Amino acid sequence: MSEHHTRAELFRSLHTPGSPLVLVNAWDAASARIVAAAGARAVATTSAGVAWSLGAADGDVLGRDAAVDLVRRLAAAVPLPVTADIESGFGATPDEVAATVRAVIAAGAVGVNVEDARRDAGTPLRDLPDQCARLAAVRAAADAADLPLYLNARVDTFLSGTGGVDETVARATAYLAAGADGIFVPGVVDPETVGALVRAIPAPLNVLAGPGAPPIAEFARLGVARVSLGSAVAEAAYTVVRKAADEAFDAGTYGALADALDYGTLNALMR
């Protein structure tokens, strides 16, 4: 069995309801190594952080080649399973989404997130049959590569404000039938709703957490299998840049840079 296959099996095994996999999302090799050094069991990319670091906006703007190259760099940087946020698949058709998945598998990823948000039309979500076809193409591409890729299907009902528990569960059920392994529902953190989703969706549930959300222990109690910090980590890092710039240009001081990781620590991580 190849190391790639072994990492894929390991990553799949980490999705245990009640003992959630915690993902502090990275966007480059340095952030991935920092997260790994802190004790991560796996590393996930954040599509927003990746896009911003490469000079593009999030939301189907970054090109496939640039996104795949970043996954390759990140997967090579850490001895851990890596899962890639591939937005809606970097493709207009299921065949194009399959091409993306083949590329990220070749780059070393063992999991992908695929969202059902639609950024190029008036409707906020893709039609259900269209999204199911895209997810089925992901599964077929992984099967053809003989890799147990973990397909995390993102349901954007809450994030877009277009549906509640019933619509979310209906989409999740269809996505699981199309080949998804887990369901990611960003935009909801209140315990009552999260608990209802855990009970209604027969697959590992992933939530997006950050300031104001319940602690990970509460999500564990509710039966959540995966907790992601998403773009919030990159946002916080870039906030330090903004604060340092504002302070330097205004007061001429450097307080925003206090408590930073020192040069030696960061440089050692990259050796």
Side-chain angles (χ1 to χ4, degrees):
M1 184 181 294
S2 70
E3 182 179 356
H4 196 185
H5 196 284
T6 299
R7 288 188 186 184
E9 292 285 10
L10 171 60
F11 185 65
R12 180 175 292 274
S13 73
L14 295 176
H15 293 78
T16 305
S19 181
L21 171 63
V22 179
L23 295 172
V24 179
N25 300 72
W27 61 95
D28 62 8
S31 59
R33 287 195 174 178
I34 290 169
V35 169
R41 295 186 289 169
V43 173
T45 67
T46 159
S47 67
V50 167
W52 297 335
S53 73
L54 296 175
D58 187 31
D60 296 326
V61 176
L62 186 67
R64 177 197 290 156
D65 290 347
V68 171
D69 183 62
L70 188 284
V71 173
R72 182 177 297 107
R73 291 171 183 270
L74 201 149
V78 294
L80 297 171
V82 170
T83 183
D85 183 341
I86 59 172
E87 303 190 27
S88 62
F90 299 110
T93 67
D95 285 346
E96 291 176 353
V97 174
T100 298
V101 172
R102 289 192 293 270
V104 296
I105 288 174
V110 299
V112 292
N113 276 17
V114 182
E115 65 188 51
D116 61 1
R118 190 180 187 102
R119 315 294 181 100
D120 60 350
T123 177
L125 301 182
R126 291 186 180 275
D127 292 339
L128 192 57
D130 177 32
Q131 185 64 5
C132 286
R134 296 165 76 85
L135 296 175
V138 173
R139 178 53 58 208
D143 289 347
D146 193 27
L147 186 80
L149 184 85
Y150 191 92
L151 171 51
N152 203 35
R154 184 171 126 179
V155 185
D156 276 335
T157 42
F158 282 96
L159 202 61
S160 64
T162 58
V165 170
D166 290 345
E167 175 65 16
T168 302
V169 171
R171 282 185 170 261
T173 301
Y175 296 166
L176 292 170
D181 297 295
I183 300 297
F184 181 22
V185 185
V188 58
V189 294
D190 69 279
E192 182 177 354
T193 305
V194 171
L197 291 171
V198 168
R199 291 189 296 273
I201 296 173
L205 181 70
N206 182 185
V207 298
L208 181 67
I216 290 167
E218 174 68 3
F219 287 128
R221 186 189 67 78
L222 293 168
V224 170
R226 176 166 161 174
V227 178
S228 303
L229 301 193
S231 64
V233 185
E235 290 167 10
Y238 290 131
T239 297
V240 173
V241 178
R242 177 60 183 267
K243 287 182 176 179
D246 285 346
E247 183 180 359
F249 298 146
D250 184 12
T253 53
Y254 326 102
L257 302 178
D259 301 320
L261 285 172
D262 64 87
Y263 173 89
T265 297
L266 285 170
N267 208 45
L269 282 175
M270 302 311 296
R271 291 197 177 103

